[in-house]
Amino acid sequence: MTTRITDVRVFDGEQLLPDRKDVTFDATRILAIDPAGTNLGRETVTGIDGYGTTLLPGLIDAHIHLHSSDTLQQLASFGVTTGLDMATWPAEKLASLRAIAGREGLADLRSPGLPAIGPAGNHARFVPEEAVVTNPDQAARFVDARGTEGADYIKIVAEAPGDGGPDQPTLTALVDAAHEHGKKVIAHTATPGAFAMALVAGADIFTHIPLGPPLDADTVQRMADNDAVAVPTLTLMEGITSSHGNAQAFAGSLRSVTALQQEGVTVLAGTDANTEPGAPTRVAYGTSLHHELELLVDAGLTPTKALRAATSRTADVFDLPDRGRIRPGLRSDLLLVDGDPTVSIAATGTIRAVYIAGVPVHRSATE
């Protein structure tokens, strides 16, 4: 089926294109982006009037936790067409979800499989023993096993010194082993101490931003110097502080994001969407990414930069060249919203339609 959305504003993943466009796509790819009112041939298409709306690339959540196929359906319903999982096991469960992802109204996914953890700390209570890496000699074996299972990247749970995570030599060995396999490393860095250790180890992507006092200037500068990427998961951090009545701690996280983006550090939109009983707070799938975009704007990103953080920038960082932008030849994962989110970021939540691989996603009346 070929679809054409006519007379629509287009945010192409980088910028709002000048003038309105007609965008044509099918299940294989985006076919054409034409000036509105042109190239309206007699070929059979499903036409949609896009006047008053904006077409975006399907959004990418840079931090979720898979639960079941329902996870992928919920993401898709809110225009999140790709979810970047940060830990799923066993391997058989992940393989079954990979087999259905990205089609039939379900979001696509990428995953590291099992994360690397230390022998103690919070994660050791619910992550399998196979994930425990206690010394540098075990690092290569852990990374080899994840590669065999098809991991797209390697996830490491860093903890502050003494908090039960991998020690500094082990953390560094895990990063080195992953890089030798051509895999990027995402480090869980929920505390300043964990953040510091992951910086020394050379991790590529830092997920979570510590609550409390903002990151110091030296840490922010080292993030920039290392070309490191931040996924602050502000929605999660806000939820934690709300449950503990500590708004000041969350204000510090916002200031950290402000400092990072001002220093030129790439900031991506991720939520830590989860339904896990052991999580510090539960975060809803799909709808939370729209709130994350609003929080990023609160932290100082322009609406356009926030949109890039959920589209093109995430696609670039996570090596997804077929999505995150609206260009002929790319995957036809698309989000159509009322209004103009480059002016008011809240417009991303006024969803008119979602397409995954060119096929409309069914959305219930309550969404």
Side-chain angles (χ1 to χ4, degrees):
M1 179 179 68
T2 300
T3 301
R4 178 177 293 129
I5 301 176
T6 61
D7 202 22
V8 66
R9 283 183 296 258
V10 175
F11 174 78
D12 70 351
E14 296 285 349
Q15 62 184 338
L16 189 70
L17 297 182
D19 305 318
R20 292 187 177 90
K21 307 295 182 185
D22 295 338
V23 179
T24 308
F25 56 92
D26 62 14
T28 65
R29 65 194 186 282
I30 298 169
L31 300 173
I33 305 170
D34 300 304
T38 64
N39 195 28
L40 300 180
R42 296 185 177 181
E43 73 273 24
T44 301
V45 300
T46 298
I48 296 172
D49 183 1
Y51 183 79
T53 68
T54 302
L55 188 65
L56 312 166
L59 303 180
I60 306 171
D61 190 330
H63 189 138
I64 68 160
H65 289 278
L66 291 169
H67 178 66
S68 66
S69 60
D70 288 346
T71 300
L72 302 176
Q73 189 277 327
Q74 291 169 32
L75 291 171
S77 293
F78 289 95
V80 182
T81 56
T82 302
L84 303 179
D85 174 54
M86 288 298 148
T88 291
W89 63 88
E92 294 78 12
K93 174 183 177 180
L94 178 57
S96 69
L97 291 172
R98 286 187 188 276
I100 61 173
R103 57 188 178 88
E104 299 177 0
L106 302 178
D108 201 5
L109 70 89
R110 298 292 186 274
S111 177
L114 199 65
I117 65 171
N122 182 57
H123 288 79
R125 295 188 296 106
F126 57 89
V127 179
E129 186 176 352
E130 182 187 356
V132 176
V133 182
T134 58
N135 62 69
D137 293 338
Q138 297 173 350
R141 183 172 59 191
F142 175 88
V143 173
D144 285 345
R146 303 292 77 74
T148 298
E149 293 169 356
D152 298 291
Y153 36 82
I154 300 298
K155 170 76 178 295
I156 303 173
V157 178
E159 306 281 7
D163 284 354
D167 62 19
Q168 188 67 68
T170 303
L171 194 61
T172 301
L174 283 163
V175 173
D176 290 345
H179 288 168
E180 287 173 6
H181 281 71
K183 304 290 186 185
K184 290 184 177 178
V185 174
I186 295 89
H188 166 102
T189 53
T191 65
F195 219 95
M197 289 182 68
L199 269 171
V200 171
D204 303 291
I205 302 163
F206 291 61
T207 191
H208 307 308
I209 200 80
L211 291 166
L215 296 172
D216 61 78
D218 179 64
T219 296
V220 172
Q221 185 62 56
R222 290 176 67 192
M223 286 284 288
D225 292 344
N226 289 4
D227 290 326
V229 174
V231 185
T233 64
L234 289 171
T235 298
L236 174 76
M237 312 318 280
E238 181 186 46
I240 294 171
T241 56
S242 294
S243 63
H244 291 82
N246 191 354
Q248 187 174 359
F250 181 63
S253 295
L254 286 174
R255 290 198 296 272
S256 291
V257 176
T258 301
L260 288 166
Q261 68 93 20
Q262 286 177 344
E263 198 59 41
V265 175
T266 297
V267 175
L268 303 182
T271 63
D272 204 352
N274 72 87
T275 58
E276 300 304 319
T281 188
R282 294 190 180 187
V283 177
Y285 294 103
T287 183
S288 59
L289 188 59
H290 300 278
H291 183 56
E292 186 75 18
L293 295 175
E294 293 178 354
L295 291 175
L296 289 175
V297 171
D298 289 344
L301 276 70
T302 65
T304 294
K305 287 183 177 180
L307 292 172
R308 291 171 184 161
T311 56
S312 60
R313 295 297 177 266
T314 303
D316 291 344
V317 169
F318 281 88
D319 304 315
L320 304 171
D322 64 338
R323 66 198 68 192
R325 292 176 171 85
I326 297 179
R327 291 180 183 169
L330 297 191
R331 182 179 168 94
S332 45
D333 291 350
L334 301 164
L335 170 62
L336 184 67
V337 302
D338 289 319
D340 183 354
T342 67
V343 174
S344 172
I345 194 65
T348 65
T350 58
I351 297 173
R352 180 79 66 89
V354 179
Y355 299 86
I356 291 181
V359 178
V361 173
H362 173 73
R363 305 183 69 247
S364 71
T366 59
E367 291 169 340

